[in-house]
């Protein structure tokens, strides 16, 4: 009975219903890419909103969905009146896909909608899109497709398309109340009252500016790199500013897409020739959708230099030929930074920063959006525990304790990856550091003695000389200089020292050293290995603070409906605040499980117990746990599944534990506590102490 009940409620297959009353104030109607608003104020009985999220990008939308599934009412404030179709981020790593997998099949939708992997697995370095290939790097390895260390694979899917799917998820949850406030901008924050924050919003309605106030218990700033929330509460950023200025050119060309599809499919194309230098991101070669990233050097260059016609000419130069169907859709300047907010939580734990509002990275490695999505996953259950009265507001501080060190590591890794990307042009005589130094001298040195028009001529002339390093005359095997440079380039590719796409050790292996967890003192490292800047494989770990290792399991039951294979991650639901205790089938472990049930009930949270049996255990074992766990029924007996091609190490060996140990997993799938072998005799006191610490009650 316990197993069948669990299977019916398996969160990744069933939609959670809102637990609080939803007031039909804000219409969630789709009109092309716009959302209309049918009212402009919170109802009187909603005077204090539990959570207000500012920013309707992927991070804000993921957080709102997670909170709704946990029964927490929230609204999302978005200053834009329509959503951008500029692709922006496009790489979704393993950990984010694991989260999406449990958002009602979102990962599966992405996998079906994305281009085929063979169309984006490579980075290609060339003199033009139709010219000579200097080298290519395949970033997908056989193990990336085997789903051994994770139940999902990475994905290549444009941010604006992801946003559209997330908005549909909100609709599918029947959330037609005051969820999305389009065209509303946060202009002031008042946190003088301890119980809530008062947010002043502004919107243009019927040509007039209208302000209103919203009171909320928690305010989350998910409003991007230029966060207004961060500015209003006075939080500073630290790190490296202005690493590079670029212009992003979004365009379509089916002719170019068809050519690349047949001749040289890839995700990124690094193009170096005597006329232009740029990086082309192939968001969808089948649809002919691309973004061209061009270095930008103001004030000598300005956006007029990148008008639609000039952009087409640049595209032709980099393509190596003219294209008849180029449609320039959007042109945006942007600045690359590597900075992390000095605080993620402030104002008596009432104001919280997530995503780019809390950290902004170089795009190398795709850490920006992915880190933000994982911020939301970490934060959602903690907000739910606070709003539901289970934990004090201090639990929200553990979000900063855990996520800020992760952001600092990802900043360091993305900067190292960006430097690795710069090693390629430097190898062929196009050192970007020299280019930036030349620009600095002209902008702030002797160049200031000359008129701006002459400065532009000087800059263009020097860059033209630089690009001459890529000429066929110089960059060939018969030229001693060119031969040496090409040899150096080959070594960079062979040794994995160029720009990398995947970082499994960091994507799946990031670990919290302190926060809403308990260190066990059983040999778990108290430090995190610094990132190398190169791909390292993930090694499963059950140390406190780590992501729960994935392995395949099968429920032990005679019921034909239960003959399914699950991931250990499927044992943690998305639609309730529930912990997971994993034990082996031993009397002392059952005693610990009963103590966990009792303590969880006392603290107002749910706990599920999973009893892991050896792989060769037969079905019908369910009854063996029913008696020792009675009267509690929220448990499941499972056996490991050994898939062909996977290593045969048992679950407990993989975790470096014995099967009389135990693991307590948080609602965000990170390990809160574990004991490697043998449980404490006073299990009641032990579990009370554990839940009290993890829920910030002590």
């Amino acid at each position: 009975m316990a197993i069948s009940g669990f299977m019916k409620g398996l969160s990744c297959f069933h939609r959670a219903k809102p637990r609080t009353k939803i007031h039909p104030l804000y219409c969630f109607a789709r009109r092309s890419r716009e959302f209309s608003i049918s009212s402009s104020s919170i109802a009187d009985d909603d005077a204090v909103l539990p959570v207000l999220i500012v920013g309707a990008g992927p991070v804000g939308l993921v957080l709102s969905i997670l909170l709704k599934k946990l029964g927490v009412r929230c609204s999302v404030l978005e200053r834009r009146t329509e959503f951008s179709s500029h692709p922006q981020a496009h790489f979704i790593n393993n950990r984010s896909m694991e989260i999406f997998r449990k958002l009602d099949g979102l990962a599966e939708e992405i996998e079906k909608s994305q281009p085929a992997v063979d169309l984006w697995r490579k980075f290609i370095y060339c003199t033009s899109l139709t010219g000579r290939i200097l080298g290519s790097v395949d970033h997908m390895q056989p193990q990336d497709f085997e789903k051994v260390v994770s139940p999902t694979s990475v994905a290549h899917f444009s941010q604006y398309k992801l946003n559209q799917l997330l908005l549909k998820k909100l609709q599918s949850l029947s959330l037609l109340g005051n969820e999305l406030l389009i065209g509303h901008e946060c202009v002031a924050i008042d946190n003088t009252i301890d119980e809530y924050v008062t947010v002043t919003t502004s919107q243009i309605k019927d040509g007039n500016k209208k302000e209103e106030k919203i009171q909320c218990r928690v305010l989350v700033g998910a409003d991007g790199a230029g966060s207004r929330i961060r500015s209003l509460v006075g939080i500073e950023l630290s790190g490296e500013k202005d690493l590079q200025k670029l212009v992003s050119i979004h365009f379509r060309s089916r002719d170019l897409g068809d050519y690349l599809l047949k001749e040289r499919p890839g995700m990124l194309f690094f193009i170096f020739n005597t006329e232009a230098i740029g990086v082309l991101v192939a968001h969808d070669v089948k649809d002919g959708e691309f973004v061209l990233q061009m270095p930008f050097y103001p004030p000598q260059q300005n956006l007029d230099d990148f008008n639609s016609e000039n952009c087409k000419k640049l595209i032709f130069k980099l393509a190596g030929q003219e294209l008849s169907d180029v449609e320039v859709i959007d042109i945006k300047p942007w600045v690359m930074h590597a900075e992390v907010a000095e605080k993620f939580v402030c104002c008596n734990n009432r104001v919280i920063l997530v995503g780019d509002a809390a950290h902004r990275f170089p795009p190398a490695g795709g850490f920006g959006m992915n880190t933000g999505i994982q911020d939301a996953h970490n934060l959602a259950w903690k907000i739910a525990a606070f709003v539901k009265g289970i934990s004090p507001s201090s639990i929200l501080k553990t979000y900063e304790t855990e996520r800020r060190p992760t952001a600092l590591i990802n900043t360091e890794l993305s900067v190292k990856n960006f430097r690795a990307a710069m090693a390629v042009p430097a190898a062929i005589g196009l050192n970007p550091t020299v280019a930036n130094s030349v620009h600095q001298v002209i902008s702030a040195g002797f160049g200031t003695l000359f008129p701006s028009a002459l400065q532009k001529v000087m800059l263009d002339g020097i860059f033209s000389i630089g690009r001459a390093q890529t000429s066929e005359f110089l960059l060939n095997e018969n030229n001693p200089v060119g031969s040496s440079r090409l040899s150096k380039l080959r070594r960079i590719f062979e040794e994995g020292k160029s720009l990398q796409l995947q970082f499994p050790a960091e994507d799946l292996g990031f670990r919290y050293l302190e926060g809403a967890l308990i260190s066990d003192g059983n040999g778990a490292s108290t430090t995190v290995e610094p990132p190398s800047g190169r791909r390292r494989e993930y090694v499963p770990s059950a140390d406190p603070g780590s992501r729960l290792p994935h392995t395949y399991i099968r429920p032990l039951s005679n019921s034909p409906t239960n003959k399914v294979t699950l991931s250990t991650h499927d044992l943690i639901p998305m639609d309730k605040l529930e912990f997971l205790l994993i034990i082996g089938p031993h009397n002392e472990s059952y005693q610990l499980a009963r103590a966990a049930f009792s303590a969880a009930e006392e603290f107002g949270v749910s706990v599920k117990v999973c009893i892991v049996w050896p792989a060769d255990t037969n079905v019908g074992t369910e009854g063996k746990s029913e008696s020792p766990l009675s009267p509690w029924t929220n448990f499941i007996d499972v056996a490991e599944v050994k898939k062909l091609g996977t290593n045969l190490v048992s679950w407990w060996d993989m975790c470096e534990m014995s099967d009389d140990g135990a693991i307590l997993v948080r609602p965000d799938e990170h390990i809160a506590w574990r004991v490697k072998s043998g449980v404490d005799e006073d299990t009641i006191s032990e579990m009370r102490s554990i839940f009290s610490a993890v829920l910030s009650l002590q």
Side-chain angles (χ1 to χ4, degrees):
M1 184 171 70
I3 290 179
S4 61
F6 163 75
M7 294 299 294
K8 289 178 182 178
L10 196 61
S11 66
C12 57
F13 301 123
H14 293 269
R15 184 184 304 159
K17 294 181 179 179
R19 299 184 185 177
T20 56
K21 183 180 179 183
I22 301 297
H23 295 269
L25 295 177
Y26 292 92
C27 179
F28 204 55
R30 184 77 185 265
R31 186 174 68 249
S32 66
R33 289 194 178 101
E34 298 182 15
F35 289 79
S36 61
I37 301 171
S38 60
S39 181
S40 57
S41 60
I42 301 292
D44 290 342
D45 56 345
D46 286 325
V48 179
L49 184 70
V51 182
L52 178 63
I53 301 167
V54 178
V59 176
L61 293 177
V62 167
L63 179 59
S64 68
I65 292 170
L66 292 172
L67 288 173
K68 290 293 183 179
K69 292 178 82 67
L70 289 169
V72 176
R73 189 167 57 84
C74 63
S75 291
V76 182
L77 197 76
E78 174 54 55
R79 64 177 176 80
R80 297 171 297 179
T81 56
E82 62 180 36
F83 290 93
S84 172
S85 61
H86 203 91
Q88 297 174 284
H90 56 96
F91 179 68
I92 307 175
N93 70 18
N94 257 139
R95 186 62 186 129
S96 294
M97 286 294 281
E98 287 179 349
I99 296 167
F100 290 165
R101 177 176 172 268
K102 296 174 69 176
L103 289 183
D104 302 316
L106 178 58
E108 185 178 357
E109 290 183 61
I110 291 170
E111 288 170 350
K112 288 179 180 178
S113 302
Q114 71 172 346
V117 174
D118 285 343
L119 301 182
W120 54 266
R121 60 191 295 163
K122 291 183 180 181
F123 291 176
I124 295 174
Y125 300 79
C126 54
T127 57
S128 75
L129 295 172
T130 55
R132 183 163 55 124
I133 293 179
L134 302 173
S136 67
V137 180
D138 187 343
H139 290 281
M140 299 300 289
Q141 298 183 8
Q143 62 266 33
D144 297 328
F145 303 100
E146 294 169 354
K147 297 187 177 181
V148 173
V149 298
S150 173
T152 65
S153 296
V154 299
H156 173 46
F157 195 65
S158 299
Q159 180 175 321
Y160 79 92
K161 295 179 180 178
L162 174 61
N163 241 43
Q164 291 171 2
L165 291 183
L166 291 169
L167 288 165
K168 288 179 182 177
K169 290 297 173 189
L170 279 175
Q171 289 176 301
S172 71
L173 288 170
S174 300
L175 305 179
L176 304 183
N178 53 340
E179 281 70 41
L180 192 56
L181 286 69
I182 294 295
H184 287 62
E185 184 175 7
C186 176
V187 295
I189 297 171
D190 181 358
N191 63 302
T192 55
I193 298 176
D194 289 342
E195 289 75 18
Y196 56 82
V197 175
T198 301
V199 176
T200 302
T201 71
S202 173
Q203 69 167 140
I204 303 298
K205 192 170 184 180
D206 300 326
N208 298 313
K209 183 178 179 180
K210 180 182 178 182
E211 289 191 352
E212 62 178 290
K213 296 185 184 299
I214 301 174
Q215 295 172 342
C216 58
R217 296 184 66 189
V218 178
L219 172 64
V220 180
D223 51 339
S227 172
R228 186 68 184 275
I229 301 300
R230 187 182 65 232
S231 175
L232 287 171
V233 295
I235 294 177
E236 298 293 331
L237 293 164
S238 59
E240 296 184 66
K241 290 179 68 70
D242 200 3
L243 289 170
Q244 183 73 56
K245 291 182 175 70
L246 299 109
V247 170
S248 179
I249 305 164
H250 180 203
F251 72 96
R252 290 185 187 273
S253 171
R254 287 195 178 274
D255 287 350
L256 179 58
D258 289 344
Y259 171 79
L260 295 177
L261 191 64
K262 295 172 185 175
E263 301 296 332
R264 51 178 71 172
M267 177 190 282
L268 298 184
F269 296 82
F270 298 82
I271 310 159
F272 313 101
N273 64 45
T274 57
E275 294 189 279
I277 295 170
V279 180
L280 184 78
V281 185
H283 280 264
D284 191 335
V285 288
K286 281 192 172 181
D287 196 38
E289 184 173 29
F290 302 93
V291 169
L292 178 61
Q293 302 287 1
M294 297 293 298
F296 182 39
Y297 295 96
Q300 291 78 21
Q301 294 178 344
N302 56 57
L303 281 182
D304 289 339
D305 297 322
F306 294 90
N307 60 40
S308 183
E309 283 306 309
N310 286 344
C311 285
K312 285 184 181 181
K313 291 176 183 177
L314 284 170
I315 292 165
F316 297 159
K317 290 175 181 178
L318 294 169
Q321 65 181 40
E322 291 197 6
L323 301 161
S324 62
D325 67 339
V326 170
E327 176 196 2
V328 176
I329 300 168
D330 197 12
I331 303 163
K332 286 186 176 181
W334 63 283
V335 183
M336 186 187 300
H337 303 288
E339 297 179 298
V340 177
E342 294 186 348
K343 292 189 290 185
F344 285 15
V345 180
C346 67
C347 304
N348 296 318
N349 304 322
R350 300 286 180 175
V351 179
I352 303 171
L353 302 179
V354 297
D356 287 354
H359 40 72
R360 46 193 196 181
F361 313 137
F367 288 98
M369 182 178 71
N370 288 296
T371 304
I373 288 164
Q374 292 147 34
D375 288 345
H377 194 221
N378 177 285
L379 181 61
W381 76 272
K382 296 173 181 178
I383 289 179
F386 167 60
V387 169
K388 292 173 182 288
I390 295 167
S391 296
S393 67
S394 56
I395 195 171
L396 302 178
K397 188 68 176 177
T398 68
Y399 160 73
E400 177 182 307
T401 304
E402 295 176 353
R403 293 302 299 170
R404 191 170 185 276
T406 302
L408 289 169
I409 289 171
N410 288 351
T411 303
E412 182 182 354
L413 186 52
S414 61
V415 169
K416 285 184 175 181
N417 206 25
F418 170 66
R419 306 285 188 213
M422 297 300 99
V424 170
I428 58 175
L430 293 170
N431 194 326
T433 303
V434 173
N436 289 333
S437 297
V438 167
H439 178 239
Q440 182 66 23
V441 169
I442 292 176
S443 299
F446 78 87
T448 57
L449 301 173
F450 302 99
S452 58
L454 186 55
Q455 289 182 36
K456 180 177 175 59
V457 171
M458 292 168 59
L459 188 70
D460 289 345
I462 293 171
F463 284 175
S464 179
I465 294 171
R467 291 194 301 271
Q469 305 300 308
T470 66
S471 69
E472 185 69 29
F473 169 77
L474 184 60
L475 199 61
N476 70 78
E477 295 291 356
N478 296 321
N479 185 305
V481 174
S483 178
S484 174
R485 288 175 175 177
L486 291 171
S487 177
K488 184 176 182 180
L489 189 62
R490 284 192 294 272
R491 286 198 302 273
I492 289 173
F493 295 143
E494 290 166 2
E495 295 172 8
K497 293 182 178 179
S498 61
L499 178 71
Q500 299 298 298
L501 177 65
Q502 292 202 70
F503 296 88
E506 287 79 16
D507 292 345
L508 296 175
F510 66 88
R511 175 175 163 235
Y512 308 134
L513 296 180
E514 55 181 332
L517 54 92
I518 298 170
S519 177
D520 60 7
N522 284 327
S525 172
T526 56
T527 60
V528 174
E529 185 178 351
S532 67
R534 302 190 198 177
R535 173 171 174 147
R536 296 182 302 180
E537 297 307 316
Y538 162 72
V539 178
S541 170
D543 288 346
S546 299
R547 155 194 169 273
L548 175 69
H550 153 77
T551 197
Y552 291 105
I553 54 176
R554 58 183 171 88
L556 292 171
S557 170
N558 286 314
S559 170
T561 60
N562 290 334
K563 292 180 180 179
V564 296
T565 299
L566 306 173
S567 165
T568 43
H569 291 191
D570 293 328
L571 299 171
I572 300 113
M574 281 277 194
D575 60 353
K576 68 166 97 171
L577 201 61
E578 184 169 82
F579 289 78
L580 173 71
L581 181 68
I582 303 175
I583 61 171
H586 299 283
N587 289 335
E588 295 81 3
S589 301
Y590 285 127
Q591 184 178 346
L592 180 73
R594 290 194 298 271
F597 280 128
S598 178
E601 190 174 79
E602 180 181 332
F603 287 108
V605 295
S606 175
V607 66
K608 180 189 295 147
V609 173
C610 172
I611 306 95
V612 179
W613 296 74
D616 57 358
T617 305
N618 295 321
V619 298
T621 306
E622 178 182 12
K624 293 185 179 179
S625 294
E626 189 168 346
S627 177
L629 291 179
S630 178
W632 287 282
T633 60
N634 192 20
F635 66 88
I636 180 172
D637 289 287
V638 304
E640 300 174 58
V641 173
K642 297 301 180 185
K643 293 200 168 188
L644 290 176
T646 64
N647 83 43
L648 299 179
V649 175
S650 76
W651 160 258
W652 297 108
D653 287 340
M654 179 173 67
C655 294
E656 297 184 337
M657 298 171 60
S658 64
D659 66 355
D660 62 346
I663 300 172
L664 183 68
V665 187
R666 308 186 319 194
D668 64 350
E669 299 164 7
H670 279 255
I671 295 170
W673 167 85
R674 65 94 188 264
V675 57
K676 282 194 166 185
S677 64
V679 299
D680 194 277
E681 290 185 4
D682 189 356
T683 54
I684 292 290
S685 295
E686 176 82 352
M687 294 312 301
R688 280 177 177 163
S689 176
I690 291 165
F691 277 107
S692 179
V694 173
L695 294 170
S696 297
L697 294 169
Q698 59 175 236

